[in-house]
Amino acid sequence: MLAHVSPGQPSPQAGRALDGLDQTALRRHFGDPAMRRRDGQALVLAYRFDDCVLHLFLYPRTGDGDPRVRHAAAIGIDRQTRDAATCRP
């Protein structure tokens, strides 16, 4: 189960490389997500890699409504929490 994340709290774990990216940029980096769902205002995308799953929480920006990454979380194949900055293909 994923915790609710406030749109005003960007993740320090996500690293600056993911903060603010939109769906087009994420598709270029990671391809299509393995899972996508809505959770209130958030769009949650999950990307599966060999040793982890990266969950990205996108929230609409004020003005244009284009959802951008505001939080990231990762889980290893051992089901332990990982640093989202290290969960990559």
Side-chain angles (χ1 to χ4, degrees):
M1 176 145 190
L2 300 173
H4 175 72
V5 178
S6 169
Q9 299 174 339
S11 170
Q13 295 179 340
R16 298 293 171 225
L18 296 176
D19 286 346
L21 292 181
D22 64 10
Q23 293 180 75
T24 301
L26 292 171
R27 194 171 295 112
R28 277 195 305 267
H29 286 290
F30 303 125
D32 290 325
M35 185 272 309
R36 86 176 22 243
R37 70 177 169 85
R38 287 274 176 197
D39 186 1
Q41 287 188 333
L43 171 61
V44 182
L45 304 177
Y47 294 91
R48 292 180 195 264
F49 305 120
D50 290 340
D51 62 346
C52 62
V53 177
L54 179 64
H55 297 272
L56 299 176
F57 299 78
L58 289 75
Y59 289 88
R61 291 189 330 175
T62 305
D64 67 9
D66 187 25
R68 304 284 177 141
V69 174
R70 295 291 294 158
H71 180 78
I75 298 173
I77 57 171
D78 58 0
R79 296 187 180 249
Q80 298 297 313
T81 301
R82 288 191 42 183
D83 181 350
T86 66
C87 184
R88 298 287 187 272

